[in-house]
Amino acid sequence: MIFGLFLKKPIKNNKKEQVLEALIGFSGANAIQKSYFPQLQKKIQEIEREKAKYYSLFNNTSDAIFITDNEGNILETNPMASKQFHYTAEELLKMTIWVTIHIDDRTRIQSLYSQSGISGIEIKQITREDQLIYTKISLQKFYYDQHPAFLVVCHDITESKHEEIQLKDLHNFYARVIENSKNIPYRLYFGSETYEYIGDGFFELFGFKNSEISRKRTELLSTIKEAKLLDTDEKIELKSYDSKLISGEVSSFRAEYKIKTTDGETRYLFDTSLPIVDSKSGQIIGSQGIIKDITQRKLNEISIQKSNDYIQSIINSIQSAIIAINEQCLITHWNKEAEKYFLPNNGPIQSNNIFATCSLVWGSREQVVQSMINNVPVENIHLEDQDNHESAYELSIYPLISKDFKGAVLRIDDITEKTNLEKLLIQSEKMMSLGGLAAGMAHEINNPLAGMMQNAEVIFNRLTKPLPKNLEAARECNIDFSALQMFLEKGHIIRQIDLIKSSGERASIIIKNMLSFARKSESKYAPVDLAELLENTIELAENDYDMKKNYDFRKIQLIRHYQNNLPQYNCERSKIQQVFLNILKNGAEAMAGKTKIDGYKPEFVLSIKYINNKFIIAIEDNGPGIPEPDMKHVFEPFFTTKDVDSGTGLGLSVSYFIITENHRGNIEVRSKYGQWTRFTITLPQ
C-alpha cells in the first residue's frame, strides 16, 4: 500500500538492518536464503526512494494536510498547515482538527468522518487569531501504523471566495439599482419568439401579472402603437431591426415606444439595445438591453412643447415684427411678421447676424449694442427703408431681464399708415384753417365782385343796346350809334366785356361753393347709383367746351371695373359729380402733357367696389404722376402746378371738403412719379 507508506516517517538505518535481518534471517540462514539478499535490498531501496518522493510532496504542497484519528486528534501535519493556521507543528500535534474548523461547519464535518472518503466540500476555518478563511477540504480514510486514520487536505480558497462574495454583492447591488430605477432589462435570442429574460417590471408597466401574459415577443410587440429612432426621429418597425443587427448594418439602436396599457393609458418607453455575439463563431445571435419608462419626461416635453407653441402663437399673432437676439447680435427667435423684413435668399435665419439679415436695422446697430450694454430700453427709433421711401417704420429695443441670458428683443412696427394718418390729420387741420380763411376772403371778395359784374353789365347795355337814353347820349356827343357799334366790334371791346362777365361768373360760382362749405348749409340727399353717376360725369367731361379746347377727352381709353349689383348711395348728387369731374379733368390735363411721348396712350382705370358697408371708388390715370414734394399739398386751397391763367388750385380742395365734411368719407392720392396717379374715395353707407 504505497499511499499508506509515503505518509510514514523515513525509517532510520539501524531500523533497516533490523528489518532486513528479521526478513532474511541473516544469522543462521542457509546459503540459498542469503543468495536472495541483493534483490531484496534493491527492492527496499526503491521503496525508500518512493517514500522520500511522496514525503517531499507531502511537505512542500501548497495545501494544508492533516492526518487524524477517528476522533479528530492530529497525528501528523505538513509545514503548510502551520503556515495556514499560524500554529507550530508541535502545537498542532497536541490539538484536534476541530479547533481549526469554524463552529458553523464543525458538526457537518464530524458527521462526514463516518464515511470512507469525500472531496471538494467548501467550509469555513479559523486561524490561531480567529481569522476566518475559506477552504475546500477532502477526506480520505486509510490505515496509519495499522490503525484507521483520515487524510484531511485543506485547499485555501479565501481569495477566490472573497472575489465571489464581492461579485455577488455587486450583482445584488446592480439588481437593486435596476429594480429601484424602474429600468427593465431583457435578453432575446434571434430565432426564438420568446424572451430569454425580461424584467418583471415590464409586465407591471403594462398592467399585467406574469401569469396573465406570456413572454412571446409578438404579443408584447403588438401593444406598441408607435416606435421611432431617438436620434433621427424616424418611425420604424421594431422587429425589422433584428436583421439589421445580424447583418451588421447597425451596431446598436436607441428608440422610443408609445404603448397602450391594459387600462387604456398611453405610456412612453425608451429602449437602448446592444447585440449578443457568440464567443465561438463571432456571429450576432441576439440582442440585450434596458427599457426605461420615460412617460413623465415625455409628458413634460409635450407640455413644454405645447407651451412653446402657445407662446409662439401669441408672438406670431402680434402685428409687430418681434426678433430676439443674443449678446453677439445673432438671431435666436422671431415671429412670422418679422420674416418679411429679412433679406431674401440669405439662408437659415437661426444664428444669423441681425444686421446682415435685416437691412432695415443696419443704421441702428450702435443703439442696439448700447441698449444691451446699459440695460436700458430704447423706443421709437425711426427707420428708413432704402428700397421703399413711401414706407415708414419704428424700432424699439428691450434688453433681456435675466441673470443667465444677455440679449435683447427688437420690435419693428410698420407705421406707414399711422404716418399717413398723421399727415392727413395735419392736412385736415390745415385745410380747416385755410377753409376758414378762404370763407372770410370769399365774403370780402363777394361784394366788390358783385359790383364789378353789375358795372360790366351796365357798360355792356350802354354800349350795345339802342335804348332811347343811349341814342340821346350819342346825339349829344355827335356820335353815330351805328358807327360806335362798328368801333366796338373792330376793337374787340364787346368780347373783352364778355370775358369780364364770364370770369366774374366763374369767380362767383367758386365763392358761392366756398361760402356753402363754410356755412354747412342744409343739403338735399337722395339715393344715387354711383356707377351711373360716374358715367354721366364722363359724358359731361366729353362735351365740356373748355376741355375740348385743350384736349379731346374722347381719345382717352376708359377701363371700367364696376362691381355688380351695387347698392345705391345716399348723397348730394351734384357735389359728388363735381368731385368726379375735378379728378377726371385734372387727370386729362396731366395726360395731355404726356401725349408727346411716342407710343403713349392715355387711359383711365375706373373701379367701384362695395366692401364692409363702404363704397370704394378709384380713379387712376397713366399720366406723368405727382412729384413727391407736391403730394402733401395736393388738397390745399390755391395750390396748383398749372400756369397762372389755367387754374385756381381750388378744385381738389373743394373736392376734399365735399367728401370729408359733407359725406363723412375719405379721399387720398397715391402716385408714382412718371407713371401713374390714383385717387381713392371711401364713402361710408
Side-chain angles (χ1 to χ4, degrees):
M1 293 178 59
I2 301 299
F3 186 75
L5 290 174
F6 90 89
L7 293 170
K8 295 183 179 180
K9 296 178 181 179
I11 302 172
K12 296 180 180 180
N13 288 334
N14 59 348
K15 288 277 187 182
K16 292 178 184 177
E17 294 299 327
Q18 292 177 7
V19 171
L20 290 174
E21 288 178 0
L23 291 173
I24 301 174
F26 181 77
S27 57
N30 55 37
I32 296 173
Q33 289 174 323
K34 288 183 179 180
S35 66
Y36 289 102
F37 179 76
Q39 291 92 337
L40 183 58
Q41 189 177 34
K42 183 179 180 180
K43 192 67 174 178
I44 290 172
Q45 289 174 350
E46 289 177 359
I47 291 172
E48 287 294 331
R49 284 196 296 272
E50 289 295 320
K51 286 170 62 178
K53 181 173 70 172
Y54 285 117
Y55 203 77
S56 175
L57 290 174
F58 178 79
N59 286 329
N60 296 315
T61 183
S62 59
D63 295 332
I65 300 176
F66 298 92
I67 298 175
T68 71
D69 59 17
N70 286 341
E71 283 74 32
N73 296 307
I74 299 173
L75 304 177
E76 193 168 348
T77 67
N78 68 346
M80 182 54 68
S82 298
K83 183 178 180 181
Q84 187 166 306
F85 294 97
H86 304 168
Y87 292 101
T88 64
E90 290 75 14
E91 288 173 330
L92 288 173
L93 293 175
K94 296 176 182 178
M95 297 165 48
T96 65
I97 197 170
W98 315 124
V99 176
T100 68
I101 297 175
H102 194 276
I103 190 170
D104 292 345
D105 293 320
R106 194 173 297 168
T107 302
R108 182 161 62 102
I109 297 304
Q110 287 173 344
S111 65
L112 295 176
Y113 259 61
S114 61
Q115 302 178 24
S116 60
I118 193 167
S119 63
I121 299 176
E122 288 188 14
I123 65 169
K124 293 182 288 187
Q125 292 190 269
I126 52 176
T127 66
R128 181 176 193 150
E129 296 83 11
D130 290 331
Q131 181 182 352
L132 182 67
I133 60 174
Y134 294 88
T135 61
K136 273 187 179 181
I137 70 167
S138 298
L139 299 176
Q140 181 64 48
K141 193 172 184 178
F142 73 106
Y143 283 90
Y144 181 82
D145 286 343
Q146 307 300 320
H147 297 288
F150 283 91
L151 174 68
V152 182
V153 180
C154 302
H155 177 64
D156 189 355
I157 60 169
T158 302
E159 185 175 347
S160 62
K161 191 67 178 180
H162 284 162
E163 291 176 355
E164 180 184 335
I165 292 171
Q166 289 176 355
L167 187 61
K168 186 176 180 180
D169 290 342
L170 189 62
H171 173 78
N172 292 335
F173 170 75
Y174 283 120
R176 287 194 299 272
V177 168
I178 292 174
E179 180 181 355
N180 293 328
S181 66
K182 304 301 182 183
N183 290 341
I184 304 165
Y186 68 88
R187 185 184 301 112
L188 173 75
Y189 291 103
F190 300 139
S192 172
E193 282 299 318
T194 305
Y195 282 94
E196 173 71 16
Y197 173 79
I198 189 165
D200 291 340
F202 192 92
F203 303 99
E204 181 182 348
L205 180 64
F206 280 83
F208 290 103
K209 296 179 180 178
N210 289 359
S211 59
E212 293 177 351
I213 188 169
S214 71
R215 293 179 181 268
K216 286 187 177 180
R217 194 185 188 200
T218 52
E219 294 184 22
L220 295 177
L221 291 180
S222 66
T223 61
I224 297 175
K225 302 304 179 185
E226 182 182 285
K228 62 180 181 179
L229 293 179
L230 191 65
D231 298 326
T232 63
D233 214 31
E234 173 192 355
K235 290 185 179 181
I236 59 169
E237 185 68 33
L238 192 61
K239 200 169 182 179
S240 66
Y241 265 71
D242 293 356
S243 59
K244 291 184 178 182
L245 284 169
I246 293 172
S247 65
E249 183 179 343
V250 295
S251 58
S252 64
F253 79 96
R254 301 189 306 159
E256 284 187 0
Y257 309 148
K258 181 180 178 181
I259 66 170
K260 283 282 188 181
T261 63
T262 54
D263 58 2
E265 181 184 359
T266 299
R267 301 197 72 81
Y268 296 89
L269 309 180
F270 169 66
D271 182 2
T272 178
S273 177
L274 293 171
I276 300 173
V277 180
D278 186 274
S279 58
K280 294 181 179 179
S281 66
Q283 298 294 316
I284 295 174
I285 57 175
S287 66
Q288 58 186 355
I290 291 177
I291 296 172
K292 184 177 181 180
D293 184 1
I294 59 169
T295 302
Q296 192 57 52
R297 188 194 79 187
K298 197 68 179 178
L299 292 177
N300 290 341
E301 288 177 2
I302 293 172
S303 178
I304 292 171
Q305 186 60 48
K306 286 182 178 179
S307 297
N308 289 340
D309 292 344
Y310 178 66
I311 294 171
Q312 190 64 39
S313 296
I314 293 174
I315 295 174
N316 285 336
S317 67
I318 298 173
Q319 296 304 306
S320 302
I322 305 295
I323 306 171
I325 60 173
N326 60 19
E327 58 185 332
Q328 288 81 35
C329 296
L330 303 180
I331 299 171
T332 59
H333 298 81
W334 64 94
N335 67 348
K336 287 289 184 183
E337 186 69 17
E339 293 179 0
K340 68 182 183 183
Y341 298 105
F342 296 137
L343 294 175
N345 305 320
N346 204 36
I349 297 172
Q350 186 82 25
S351 300
N352 269 11
N353 186 281
I354 179 64
F355 305 117
T357 306
C358 182
S359 60
L360 196 60
V361 299
W362 169 256
S364 306
R365 55 192 181 279
E366 183 64 28
Q367 291 163 294
V368 171
V369 173
Q370 288 301 318
S371 177
M372 289 192 290
I373 292 174
N374 301 327
N375 202 31
V376 176
V378 181
E379 296 181 323
N380 304 329
I381 303 171
H382 181 71
L383 302 177
E384 292 186 1
D385 189 348
Q386 300 300 324
D387 299 326
N388 186 1
H389 295 288
E390 292 185 1
S391 299
Y393 303 94
E394 275 185 353
L395 170 66
S396 296
I397 308 162
Y398 303 100
L400 293 178
I401 305 172
S402 173
K403 295 180 181 179
D404 301 323
F405 302 101
K406 291 288 186 181
V409 175
L410 309 183
R411 190 189 77 200
I412 301 174
D413 294 297
D414 185 345
I415 59 169
T416 304
E417 186 175 351
K418 175 186 174 185
T419 303
N420 290 339
L421 288 173
E422 288 175 351
K423 290 179 180 178
L424 189 60
L425 181 60
I426 294 171
Q427 180 74 4
S428 179
E429 291 177 352
K430 185 189 294 184
M431 293 290 285
M432 290 176 66
S433 299
L434 290 174
L437 177 62
M441 291 174 62
H443 276 292
E444 296 298 324
I445 295 171
N446 195 39
N447 292 330
L449 179 62
M452 180 189 72
M453 291 179 64
Q454 185 178 1
N455 289 328
E457 182 67 27
V458 170
I459 292 171
F460 179 80
N461 291 334
R462 291 288 179 92
L463 294 176
T464 60
K465 294 182 180 181
L467 298 174
K469 287 186 178 182
N470 293 343
L471 294 173
E472 182 181 351
R475 283 195 299 270
E476 289 176 357
C477 295
N478 295 321
I479 298 173
D480 183 59
F481 193 77
S482 298
L484 179 62
Q485 295 299 309
M486 291 179 63
F487 171 76
L488 294 174
E489 287 293 336
K490 291 288 185 181
H492 303 293
I493 295 172
I494 300 300
R495 183 183 175 191
Q496 296 299 323
I497 294 173
D498 286 337
L499 288 175
I500 292 172
K501 288 171 61 180
S502 64
S503 296
E505 289 172 355
R506 183 180 175 192
S508 178
I509 292 171
I510 292 172
I511 291 172
K512 182 180 179 181
N513 284 334
M514 293 177 66
L515 290 173
S516 174
F517 294 136
R519 287 195 297 267
K520 295 185 180 178
S521 58
E522 293 293 327
S523 301
K524 294 181 179 179
Y525 285 79
V528 172
D529 185 331
L530 290 175
E532 180 184 347
L533 181 60
L534 184 54
E535 289 299 314
N536 291 340
T537 308
I538 292 170
E539 292 177 5
L540 183 63
E542 288 175 346
N543 295 287
D544 186 276
Y545 172 76
D546 290 332
M547 295 178 71
K548 284 185 177 180
K549 287 193 302 182
N550 300 301
Y551 41 81
D552 191 352
F553 196 91
R554 297 176 188 273
K555 292 182 179 180
I556 300 174
Q557 183 180 0
L558 301 175
I559 301 173
R560 298 171 174 86
H561 299 292
Y562 300 159
Q563 182 177 318
N564 294 328
N565 301 319
L566 285 167
Q568 290 193 324
Y569 176 59
N570 200 39
C571 65
E572 285 189 85
R573 179 185 179 90
S574 61
K575 290 187 177 180
I576 296 297
Q577 188 173 39
Q578 182 181 348
V579 173
F580 291 164
L581 185 60
N582 286 339
I583 295 173
L584 290 170
K585 185 176 180 180
N586 283 347
E589 290 176 351
M591 289 188 288
K594 197 175 177 181
T595 53
K596 298 177 182 179
I597 300 174
D598 292 339
Y600 172 72
K601 294 181 179 180
E603 69 176 27
F604 276 116
V605 179
L606 313 171
S607 71
I608 304 176
K609 298 178 182 177
Y610 184 70
I611 302 173
N612 296 328
N613 294 323
K614 292 180 181 179
F615 292 92
I616 301 174
I617 304 103
I619 302 174
E620 179 180 326
D621 66 66
N622 64 343
I626 303 172
E628 179 68 26
D630 295 340
M631 288 288 290
K632 58 184 177 181
H633 302 297
V634 167
F635 297 112
E636 292 180 5
F638 311 114
F639 175 79
T640 181
T641 57
K642 301 175 186 177
D643 296 335
V644 177
D645 59 347
S646 298
T648 62
L650 289 172
L652 289 178
S653 65
V654 170
S655 299
Y656 179 87
F657 276 103
I658 289 173
I659 297 299
T660 59
E661 294 294 324
N662 292 21
H663 294 83
R664 299 176 292 106
N666 180 51
I667 181 171
E668 63 178 8
V669 61
R670 290 184 179 274
S671 180
K672 188 165 186 180
Y673 187 59
Q675 296 187 29
W676 55 267
T677 300
R678 182 191 308 117
F679 285 87
T680 303
I681 302 168
T682 304
L683 298 170
Q685 180 64 290

